[in-house]
Amino acid sequence: MGRRSSHTPEELRELILEASTELISEGGLTGLSAREIARRINYSPGTLYNVFENLDDLVLTIEGRLIDGLAAELDKVPAQDSPMEQALAMGRAYLNYTSKKPKLWNLLFEHHLPAGREVPVWYQQKLDSVMQRVEAVVSPLMPRRSAEDVTRSAHVLWAGVHGITSLATADKLAVVTSEGAGPLVDLLISAYLQGINQSAKPAR
Amino acid sequence: MGRRSSHTPEELRELILEASTELISEGGLTGLSAREIARRINYSPGTLYNVFENLDDLVLTIEGRLIDGLAAELDKVPAQDSPMEQALAMGRAYLNYTSKKPKLWNLLFEHHLPAGREVPVWYQQKLDSVMQRVEAVVSPLMPRRSAEDVTRSAHVLWAGVHGITSLATADKLAVVTSEGAGPLVDLLISAYLQGINQSAKPAR
DNA sequence: ACCTGAACACCGTTCAAGT
DNA sequence: ACCTGAACACCGTTCAAGT
């Protein structure tokens, strides 16, 4: 049939990403399908594969944007506050950002690449950039610790906050839901950061 | 065609669950398909639906068994040790149990029921039973706190350990992988439990 | 150059028909 | 009573053919 579209390549790309984001926001990763995207934007399924390698590629692109969005939110945390206040503010920023479209954010953890495929470099870099922001805030709170320990703590907090929001989202593991994730995230951050300071190197 | 099988209903049920467990262990939730199960056990796809309502029902059954298995492992933690030692031991037991078949354990967090469907009661009860074991160990470590605070802390630790192992498993979020989950779990548990004791009620 | 749509190899689930 | 397998409504991805 040939060209029929009134869209530039960039527009088409955005169209696809928008439709995909919407589908995921509504139904999670399960709600996404190449054919349904095509239907919504009025193109044939084949067209998607001119723009993206495959669905994994498309999803990875969306994930990248989500991470960028979080990074931007974390940057808004006032730098003049005390480190502990900044840490708590980051936790709340994470929660605030991710809870708008929980299923969309959950993409980062639901989506697994097929065995063998590695995450692209740019993806890892985006993630590292977020981790660095966390480290920067955690670091002054553990002055006697090595850089490795700071990194470890940043990872623990990142994973912990993820764990809490993830369980809160999954209505299935509703153990947590009853109280909402907010207080739990506060609790994790404040208790952890106080504990890390006052303890000798933990056993092991 | 009619009956052809040499299996009792119970045997057939186990056959299905075994094949499913194997498929998930290898390829995660994505690796599971009704038709592939049927192929492996030499039945037609339709037969699965005599035994289970649908794939969600089947998966939920597997999840239940996984939770039971974890509960059994947690019960092995020596009760005469100090509470802090018990808490750390539980963390390691979790890690040990779940890291044997990471993709299988990940099922608990990858699998979401379709919108509207609630988790069955027996499932919630199994989960509660695990949470109670955690609370029992955490409780003596925070003597001045209310029962609600103890529950909150158990949730925080459960979610935190889940978060760490989950990120460690997803090769995608390989930030954590480099060091292995073990030290991070230890760190989370020891720092958090020390922090919770020495702080006043956290700000908020 | 760009897009289509048929084609291929898959899905989950149902249910009439067979033994 | 139990099981089959065709049928229905879906998938992701490719690629010859069309404009």
Side-chain angles (χ1 to χ4, degrees), chain A residues 63 92 108-109 111 119 127 152 155 172-173 175 179 184 186-187 190-192 194-195 198-199 202 204, chain B residues 63 92 108-109 111 119 127 152 155 172-173 175 179 184 186-187 190-192 194-195 198-199 202 204:
Chain A
E63 291 182 67
R92 293 186 189 124
L108 291 234
F109 310 104
H111 178 237
V119 127
L127 222 44
R152 253 192 278 271
H155 289 175
K172 192 175 61 181
L173 290 185
V175 252
E179 15 191 355
L184 296 187
D186 272 11
L187 195 58
S190 61
Y192 179 84
Q194 294 198 23
Q198 286 155 356
S199 63
R204 174 172 269 225
Chain B
E63 291 181 67
R92 293 188 188 121
L108 290 235
F109 310 104
H111 178 238
V119 126
L127 222 44
R152 253 192 279 271
H155 290 175
K172 192 175 59 175
L173 290 182
V175 254
E179 18 192 353
L184 295 187
D186 271 12
L187 196 57
S190 61
Y192 179 84
Q194 292 198 24
Q198 285 154 358
S199 62
R204 172 172 268 226

